[in-house]
Amino acid sequence: MDLVGFWIKNLFMRVPNSVVLTVGTHMDLCQPGEVEEKCKDIEERIYRLLDEHKANLTHFINNLEERQDSELYLEQTDKLRELSNCTVLNVFPINGTNYNDIEKLQNHILNTVCKEELFPNIIKMLPPIYKVVENAIIEVKQNEETPQHGIMDLDHLLSEVMLKTTSDLSKNLLKDILRYLHRIGLIVWYEEIKPLLNTVFLKPSFLITVFKILVRHDLYNQLWSIPAEVLISERAFKRDVLKWQEMLQSKAMIRFQAIRVLVKHQLETLCLQDTEELFHDLIGHGTQNGKLLSLLMHFQICMSVRNVKKLNPRAPEFFPGNQWSVKDSHKEMCYPFPNYLKNFMEVTERWGGDHHEDIHIRVYFSPLIPEGFFQRLMVMACSFYSTHWIEKDNFLLVNNGKPLLVKQFNQRADSYLEIRSRKPKRSNDFQSLWDFKLTILSIAEKLCKEWPGLFYYIRSPCRTIGCPDEFEWPDMDETESIYDMIKEDFKTCETCCNTVNMELLLPKATGHAKDPFLPPTIHVTNYGVASIVSHQ
């Protein structure tokens, strides 16, 4: 389940209607006759997993169709039916040390994707220029003058392709073809990342090498293995390495100087051409992030924080609408990596424990919280709220002096996020509190779109101690204003029969008759930057 079923479940959430091929490696380590037995065992377990997956979807569909307001969920019901069309092919066993087996796997994949019953849209007609440019780019990749790492400027690539083709090729047409080649995996071009807009990775495999510099299981030991000459070249010492290791272990944070040293050491071991130029390209210049950190931050693998211990008394006054003037700081940038987090007690100590009076909501996920979802939510939320503390399964945000705790619980049939805050002392503070929570919900909702097969439900627990009941939120997409979801002032629990003030359960506008205030519009970008616009 941990090694196979886990990934299949995540694939179904990420890529609905996908066709999955499971490859059984290490065939050379099996005894005679074991391969067939193991493949059969794996396939039977996968079939049970598929049956469970379809049964859960049928259960969700029936629940939606039996609701009194089922007409509001027709689109969601149709989407659930589509998700049951998943296919997992039989296990293909190989000996990874035998190149003939690798070729067999390649041929098997090519033969499989050409089957129209599995891929009905596999055959598409493209203009001849697409194939001409594809062949030209393959020639450029194989050219001895092309850097080993395959990183090339977009304009340089255009000129190289023009030399190898007689067709009239514009930059816009080349971009269209690059988008196609990116989708089929021949090259990688991240046009949505501004610092990488004019960069094409002709050899996608090199990106794996780049990512492994900082995303690896043995990073702690890797820091200690850096040679003395590399440390000296970056004006660092073994004593600094001890500090880097301690910061990685205790805060999952890597200093920029440590990143420079790690990148330089890795590039030197690869013996690449133009190592110095590539080093500056990956690291960046001055305050500009290089390609490596731009990629890691774009995919929400890490975030950047400046290691500032006190406020700057000489900071210029900020006026709304004016350009924010930023001066270079001598404080070093640090980069938290949530995947290295451990369960330390800093968040728990600062939060001070849960109270019965806390106002909290739960966001339930089905079938489970996907791998990497919580870490991305953490990066995006903490990138917006500068005052924060993080642990493995929870993080604490502070806005206007008010703390907000987000915790992850991920067990079978009980996968949810809990968003918890202290109860306001004044009734006027409820709206700003709900704005705070709605921003986190907006970020989570945006992330959910990256997993089309993931569903979530928002509920507020009953306020009565010991009562297991919860109040389900209405569908936020069906309302123009989040604050107009509920018109009632009080809600009675069906289990304990106690009456609860509605503002403790859901965001509810107060004083509509006297106050012309319109509820805020919350917008969250792909990079986790949120803005709350109040209309007067």
Side-chain angles (χ1 to χ4, degrees), residues 475-516:
D475 189 350
M476 291 190 290
D477 292 335
E478 299 296 327
T479 58
E480 292 184 5
S481 165
I482 192 70
Y483 286 98
D484 287 334
M485 290 194 306
I486 297 297
K487 303 296 183 182
E488 305 166 274
D489 290 324
F490 299 94
K491 188 80 173 177
T492 301
C493 176
E494 296 179 356
T495 301
C496 67
C497 297
N498 285 340
T499 300
V500 185
N501 191 328
M502 188 60 72
E503 66 183 357
L504 300 174
L505 302 173
L506 288 161
K508 185 177 185 298
T510 56
H512 263 302
K514 299 178 182 179
D515 190 355

Side-chain angles (χ1 to χ4, degrees), residues 13-276:
M13 288 187 285
R14 189 79 177 190
V15 191
N17 302 329
S18 56
V19 179
V20 181
L21 171 65
T22 50
V23 181
T25 56
H26 301 296
M27 192 172 77
D28 51 308
L29 302 180
C30 297
Q31 298 297 323
E34 265 192 323
V35 174
E36 186 177 346
E37 181 184 349
K38 288 178 179 291
C39 288
K40 183 180 178 182
D41 177 59
I42 293 170
E43 288 167 3
E44 288 177 352
R45 290 169 185 261
I46 291 175
Y47 294 150
R48 289 199 295 269
L49 181 69
L50 291 175
D51 290 341
E52 179 188 337
H53 173 70
K54 292 177 181 178
N56 288 338
L57 289 175
T58 303
H59 174 70
F60 294 140
I61 291 170
N62 292 338
N63 284 347
L64 292 176
E65 290 179 337
E66 291 172 2
R67 292 176 63 104
Q68 292 182 348
D69 54 352
S70 59
E71 66 278 0
L72 298 177
Y73 297 89
L74 290 176
E75 184 177 346
Q76 192 172 5
T77 304
D78 292 338
K79 185 179 175 183
L80 281 168
R81 287 196 178 96
E82 291 178 6
L83 292 174
S84 61
N85 300 324
C86 49
T87 305
V88 180
L89 305 175
N90 290 338
V91 178
F92 192 87
I94 65 167
N95 172 3
T97 64
N98 187 331
Y99 188 74
N100 290 331
D101 277 20
I102 302 296
E103 284 191 323
K104 289 178 183 177
L105 174 61
Q106 290 176 332
N107 293 330
H108 180 70
I109 293 172
L110 288 172
N111 292 332
T112 302
V113 298
C114 289
K115 294 179 180 178
E116 290 192 53
E117 63 271 22
L118 292 175
F119 300 95
N121 300 317
I122 190 64
I123 299 175
K124 290 186 177 180
M125 298 300 294
L126 292 170
I129 186 64
Y130 275 62
K131 191 62 181 177
V132 172
V133 172
E134 180 181 345
N135 290 335
I137 289 178
I138 291 173
E139 281 188 49
V140 173
K141 287 173 64 173
Q142 296 172 346
N143 193 323
E144 292 181 359
E145 295 181 1
T146 300
Q148 293 168 277
H149 49 74
I151 301 176
M152 187 170 286
D153 181 78
L154 181 62
D155 291 326
H156 185 194
L157 179 62
L158 175 61
S159 63
E160 289 285 333
V161 171
M162 295 263 303
L163 288 173
K164 297 182 182 299
T165 61
T166 56
S167 306
D168 185 20
L169 184 65
S170 67
K171 191 171 183 177
N172 287 334
L173 178 56
L174 176 63
K175 287 181 177 180
D176 287 338
I177 299 173
L178 288 180
R179 292 184 186 104
Y180 161 72
L181 296 178
H182 174 87
R183 286 197 297 271
I184 67 172
L186 183 70
I187 57 98
V188 171
W189 179 43
Y190 294 112
E191 61 175 320
E192 68 276 19
I193 307 178
K194 191 174 181 180
L196 300 179
L197 177 61
N198 294 312
T199 300
V200 180
F201 296 90
L202 298 180
K203 300 177 181 178
S205 60
F206 181 74
L207 280 173
I208 299 173
T209 303
V210 169
F211 272 72
K212 281 173 63 178
I213 295 175
L214 297 176
V215 184
R216 52 193 302 161
H217 71 282
D218 59 345
L219 184 61
Y220 181 88
N221 296 328
Q222 187 70 16
L223 283 166
W224 189 253
S225 66
I226 296 171
E229 55 269 20
V230 178
L231 291 172
I232 293 170
S233 69
E234 289 296 318
R235 292 185 290 182
F237 305 92
K238 280 293 184 181
R239 182 65 60 182
D240 294 317
V241 175
L242 292 173
K243 290 190 293 185
W244 300 340
Q245 288 180 313
E246 192 279 331
M247 180 172 275
L248 178 64
Q249 271 200 323
S250 62
K251 296 182 179 294
M253 195 176 289
I254 307 176
R255 290 181 182 272
F256 181 65
Q257 187 185 23
I259 292 175
R260 287 180 60 93
V261 170
L262 284 165
V263 172
K264 179 171 285 191
H265 173 48
Q266 185 66 31
L267 293 181
E268 288 183 358
T269 59
L270 294 174
C271 301
L272 299 172
Q273 303 167 350
D274 304 321
T275 301
E276 191 67 25

Side-chain angles (χ1 to χ4, degrees), residues 201-388:
F201 296 90
L202 298 180
K203 300 177 181 178
S205 60
F206 181 74
L207 280 173
I208 299 173
T209 303
V210 169
F211 272 72
K212 281 173 63 178
I213 295 175
L214 297 176
V215 184
R216 52 193 302 161
H217 71 282
D218 59 345
L219 184 61
Y220 181 88
N221 296 328
Q222 187 70 16
L223 283 166
W224 189 253
S225 66
I226 296 171
E229 55 269 20
V230 178
L231 291 172
I232 293 170
S233 69
E234 289 296 318
R235 292 185 290 182
F237 305 92
K238 280 293 184 181
R239 182 65 60 182
D240 294 317
V241 175
L242 292 173
K243 290 190 293 185
W244 300 340
Q245 288 180 313
E246 192 279 331
M247 180 172 275
L248 178 64
Q249 271 200 323
S250 62
K251 296 182 179 294
M253 195 176 289
I254 307 176
R255 290 181 182 272
F256 181 65
Q257 187 185 23
I259 292 175
R260 287 180 60 93
V261 170
L262 284 165
V263 172
K264 179 171 285 191
H265 173 48
Q266 185 66 31
L267 293 181
E268 288 183 358
T269 59
L270 294 174
C271 301
L272 299 172
Q273 303 167 350
D274 304 321
T275 301
E276 191 67 25
E277 182 181 345
L278 178 60
F279 171 74
H280 291 296
D281 209 22
L282 293 176
I283 290 297
H285 303 273
T287 57
Q288 283 291 106
N289 280 327
K291 292 179 171 55
L292 173 58
L293 289 170
S294 296
L295 281 167
L296 292 172
M297 293 170 66
H298 173 78
F299 290 110
Q300 295 108 39
I301 295 173
C302 71
M303 56 185 155
S304 63
V305 295
R306 194 171 291 280
N307 189 26
V308 178
K309 295 183 179 179
K310 58 183 179 180
L311 296 176
N312 178 13
R314 297 177 183 172
E317 185 177 358
F318 173 70
F319 295 96
N322 291 354
Q323 183 77 22
W324 187 297
S325 112
V326 180
K327 294 185 178 180
D328 290 339
S329 171
H330 295 295
K331 297 296 182 181
E332 186 183 9
M333 292 297 294
C334 296
Y335 296 85
F337 283 72
N339 56 304
Y340 291 128
L341 282 170
K342 298 179 181 177
N343 283 322
F344 298 105
M345 300 303 293
E346 185 174 17
V347 170
T348 305
E349 290 171 359
R350 290 186 177 274
W351 172 245
D354 297 341
H355 299 165
H356 169 63
E357 289 294 311
D358 292 344
I359 297 179
H360 60 292
I361 58 177
R362 291 172 183 160
V363 186
Y364 288 89
F365 291 86
S366 179
L368 48 80
I369 301 176
E371 177 69 14
F373 181 93
F374 186 72
Q375 288 77 11
R376 293 187 183 190
L377 175 67
M378 183 185 296
V379 169
M380 294 174 75
C382 293
S383 297
F384 181 54
Y385 293 104
S386 57
T387 305
H388 57 257

